[in-house]
Amino acid sequence: MGDENRTAAEATARHIEDLILEGSLRPGDPLLAERELALRLKVSRPTLRQGLKLLEQRGLLVAEAGGGRRVAPLATSFTDPLVALMASRAEVVEDYLELRATLEGMAAGLAARRASDLDRETLAGCMRRIEAAHDAADPHAEAEADVDLHVALYEASHNVVLLQIMRALSGMLRRGVFHNRDTLYARPEVREVLRRQHRAIHDGVMARDPLAASAAAEAHMRYTRQALAEIAAAEARLDVSLRRIEGGSLTPR
């Protein structure tokens, strides 16, 4: 590869890297076909291929069987076994929720200051989905809209480090790594509180009130932490009761 071609390929790769970093290209997003992508980026197809190859080598893009490419799945700095180990310890789940309370408050405050009109429209769309799922008594759809609203909040913060960290955490949340959202959304009284709390976060951002948005986000995470602890305690009591009935499964019945 000549110096001129290498420079053009590096510039192409850098442009795509910037889109990934700022969150415009998201983990798992498919790229356009080469022909259209080259036109969009205003580069030749050989230069595009060289730039894409650089990104594949850096682990930012993955090639697919049909010849397409997509943004690599989001990874974290943890190996899977370590994540599983962390998630199995109640004290780590507490630490996770404690961290999220601080970062969610920060994200909401920044979003109230920095959100663009498009960010606000995305946030409003997530809130409408939460309301619709709540009215339809669809806990799974409401839980999915919940995570999407928080991701929209991180994007609206326009802090790329915060965005990428919180995207990793939200990915773990979708997979139920630290706690199962269904345990929250299975309880109608909890779902109602969560809906009101999400509305308060949304309204604080829309009003461009950083203090209100931040306070609402932190209160939401404190409630989530408390609700999960109470649910876990209730389940533990139920387990004890069942073991008593069954004689600890060690006595003849």
Side-chain angles (χ1 to χ4, degrees):
M1 189 189 307
D3 289 345
E4 185 176 338
N5 289 340
R6 185 183 299 277
T7 300
E10 282 283 1
T12 300
R14 178 59 185 265
H15 180 70
I16 296 173
E17 282 178 342
D18 288 344
L19 294 176
I20 293 171
L21 183 61
E22 74 183 18
S24 296
L25 281 175
R26 303 173 182 181
D29 277 355
L31 296 185
L32 295 169
E34 278 190 9
R35 180 185 179 85
E36 189 173 352
L37 193 57
L39 288 172
R40 291 280 182 94
L41 296 175
K42 299 179 181 177
V43 297
S44 68
R45 291 182 70 177
T47 294
L48 173 66
R49 289 194 194 103
Q50 292 164 1
L52 295 177
K53 190 66 176 176
L54 290 172
L55 293 173
E56 287 176 28
Q57 292 168 352
R58 296 168 190 171
L60 292 170
L61 296 181
V62 291
E64 298 190 301
R69 294 177 180 84
R70 66 178 59 243
V71 180
L74 187 66
T76 72
S77 59
F78 305 122
T79 61
D80 287 342
L82 180 55
V83 170
L85 176 61
M86 291 173 63
S88 70
R89 305 296 175 87
E91 65 272 19
V92 175
V93 176
E94 278 284 302
D95 288 348
Y96 161 75
L97 293 170
E98 184 177 57
L99 174 65
R100 274 199 63 194
T102 299
L103 295 183
E104 293 280 346
M106 178 183 176
L110 290 174
R113 294 186 184 94
R114 299 175 177 176
S116 66
D117 289 343
L118 282 175
D119 294 328
R120 290 154 66 84
E121 183 179 322
T122 300
L123 203 62
C126 291
M127 193 64 232
R128 287 194 294 271
R129 286 173 52 207
I130 287 174
E131 297 281 11
H134 187 85
D135 291 344
D138 185 341
H140 179 73
E142 192 170 358
E144 283 299 304
D146 171 341
V147 177
D148 288 341
L149 180 138
H150 286 279
V151 172
L153 198 65
Y154 314 145
E155 292 175 347
S157 75
H158 290 276
N159 180 308
V160 295
V161 176
L162 178 64
L163 169 61
Q164 299 302 340
I165 289 172
M166 298 307 286
R167 267 199 182 155
L169 291 177
S170 67
M172 292 180 187
L173 185 58
R174 286 188 199 277
R175 301 196 307 273
V177 171
F178 286 110
H179 68 82
N180 188 344
R181 290 169 299 140
D182 291 343
T183 62
L184 285 173
Y185 279 93
R187 291 163 168 78
E189 70 282 2
V190 172
R191 287 176 52 226
E192 175 57 29
V193 174
L194 294 176
R195 184 191 66 81
R196 291 200 305 266
Q197 290 175 342
H198 286 127
R199 170 60 67 182
I201 296 169
H202 166 276
D203 291 351
V205 174
M206 292 301 177
R208 301 192 186 279
D209 187 336
L211 292 179
S214 181
E218 290 179 14
H220 168 56
M221 290 311 305
R222 284 196 302 271
Y223 174 80
T224 299
R225 193 174 172 188
Q226 178 185 349
L228 285 170
E230 291 176 357
I231 290 169
E235 289 176 347
R237 289 193 294 270
L238 177 59
D239 287 343
V240 170
S241 297
L242 290 173
R243 285 198 298 273
R244 285 172 179 158
I245 292 170
E246 297 168 358
S249 298
L250 300 179
T251 58
R253 292 292 176 184

